[in-house]
């Protein structure tokens, strides 16, 4: 809901709208040397994230928290998991998949990219052929929900192929984890990354990696960066019982603990997924009722974010539309699909079906180009 201290809802790919109670959890300071913080806040978060990631085999996984926005954790994961002499196959179909490839090349990792284009899911037959023919490929990385378009990539299918060929699987589940049910152990995912301010609905400031403990243990000395060394960060948190190597974003972490509590109170990931799904259903129904068209076919959509074609009317300007919606309490996001004039509306965060109904009314009132 919009309140005087929070004048608009963020219907964007992140940061997202948060609850007032999450923001209020930041109103005190914490000592990072003390058990109050390390054992009382950080350690339970790490344990609960592992349980969220796998109900079947939590004993096989561990969790590392990392300062920075989500990309920092992606870079830490790739730079620590792939050894010298390793080769990484990147499945890309949008901005975030391309970023995985850019990170890998920046770290001087031997990189192969399978880009299926922004409007198509990854080509599983091509993946299968590459893993069969090229023994040099040691690791595969993919995006779970491609936030560029809102496409939900076929994680089960990708994981099945990668596991059949015995490779290590890394997943950027930034905009899906906590909002779309999954079990990393059941799928065979080895490393998965997400951040505080997407579906868990915390505030921005850190990311986290869920890792298969047995594989992370092999990663000593591999990282191409001091501060983004996931192995060292993990050792520090294990030996220091929740201690971060360098200054911890204490207020953000405390807000995240509150966000985790609110996720549980809502009914867990299944309930959150149901809310996001209903948000997105009402969004698409309402927007199509007003004459807008989705970029993706409905069956490729995640409940996370939806891309719409710009109206073709000569009088349409994104900036004017944006400003009119903002004045009515909603902010939306420009599109990023190559060659398609578009905009995006997110349906995650502290946003409810009644908010989407209000949004649709506001969109109807903001279509000045159609009048
Ligand atoms: C948000 C997001 C990221 C990380 O973005 P930051 O701006 O660094 O937090 C990475 N991958 C995906 C799929 C995302 O949606």
């Amino acid at each position: 809901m919009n309140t005087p201290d929070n004048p608009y809802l963020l219907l964007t790919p992140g940061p997202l709208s948060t609850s007032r109670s999450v923001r209020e959890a930041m109103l005190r300071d914490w000592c990072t040397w003390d058990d109050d913080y390390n054992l009382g806040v950080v350690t339970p978060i790490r344990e609960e994230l592992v349980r969220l990631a796998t109900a079947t085999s939590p004993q096989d996984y561990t969790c590392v928290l990392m300062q920075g926005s989500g990309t920092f954790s992606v870079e830490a994961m790739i730079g620590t998991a792939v050894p010298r002499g390793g080769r990484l196959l990147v499945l890309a179909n949008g901005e975030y998949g391309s970023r995985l490839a850019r990170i890998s090349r920046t770290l001087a990792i031997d990189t192969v990219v399978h880009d299926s284009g922004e409007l198509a899911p990854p080509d599983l037959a091509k993946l299968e052929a590459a893993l069969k023919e090229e023994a040099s490929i040691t690791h595969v990385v993919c995006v779970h929900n491609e936030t560029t378009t809102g496409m939900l990539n076929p994680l089960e299918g990708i994981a099945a192929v990668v596991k059949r060929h015995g490779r290590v699987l890394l997943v950027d589940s930034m905009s899906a984890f906590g909002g779309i049910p999954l079990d990393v152990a059941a799928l065979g995912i080895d490393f998965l990354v997400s951040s505080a301010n997407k579906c868990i609905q915390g505030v921005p400031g850190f990311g986290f990696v869920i890792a298969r403990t047995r594989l992370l243990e092999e990663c000593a000395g591999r990282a191409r960066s001091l501060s983004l060394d996931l192995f060292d960060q993990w050792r520090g948190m294990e030996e220091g019982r929740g201690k971060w190597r360098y200054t911890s974003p204490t207020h953000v972490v405390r807000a995240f603990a509150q966000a985790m509590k609110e996720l549980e109170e809502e009914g867990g990931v299944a309930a959150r997924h149901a809310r996001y799904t209903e948000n997105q259903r009402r969004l698409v129904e309402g927007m199509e009722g007003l004459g807008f068209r989705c970029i993706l076919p409905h069956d490729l959509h995640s409940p996370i974010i939806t891309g719409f074609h710009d109206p073709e009317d000569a009088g349409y300007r994104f900036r004017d539309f944006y400003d009119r919606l903002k004045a009515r309490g909603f902010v939306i996001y420009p599109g990023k699909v190559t060659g398609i004039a578009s905009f995006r509306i997110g349906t995650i965060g502290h946003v409810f079906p009644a908010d989407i109904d209000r949004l649709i009314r506001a969109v109807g009132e903001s279509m000045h180009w159609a009048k």
Side-chain angles (χ1 to χ4, degrees), residues 230-280:
L230 201 65
F231 177 86
D232 266 4
Q233 183 90 342
W234 175 60
R235 288 310 325 158
M237 284 188 174
E238 289 285 306
E239 285 159 14
R241 302 187 307 159
K243 185 120 178 40
W244 297 54
R245 274 183 313 160
Y246 308 128
T247 299
S248 160
T250 46
H251 301 75
V252 174
V253 173
R254 182 59 189 82
F256 188 78
Q258 176 64 25
M260 291 284 281
K261 181 163 167 265
E262 292 178 15
L263 173 59
E264 192 180 318
E265 286 165 0
E266 184 171 350
V269 176
R272 184 150 294 179
H273 179 248
R275 169 162 62 88
Y276 290 168
T277 300
E278 180 60 12
N279 284 349
Q280 202 259 353

Side-chain angles (χ1 to χ4, degrees), residues 18 37 61 96 102 112 122 124 173 309 333 367:
T18 53
Y37 180 68
Y61 287 83
Y96 292 98
R102 197 148 83 243
V112 189
L124 297 187
S173 184
H309 290 274
Y333 220 63
M367 296 171 65

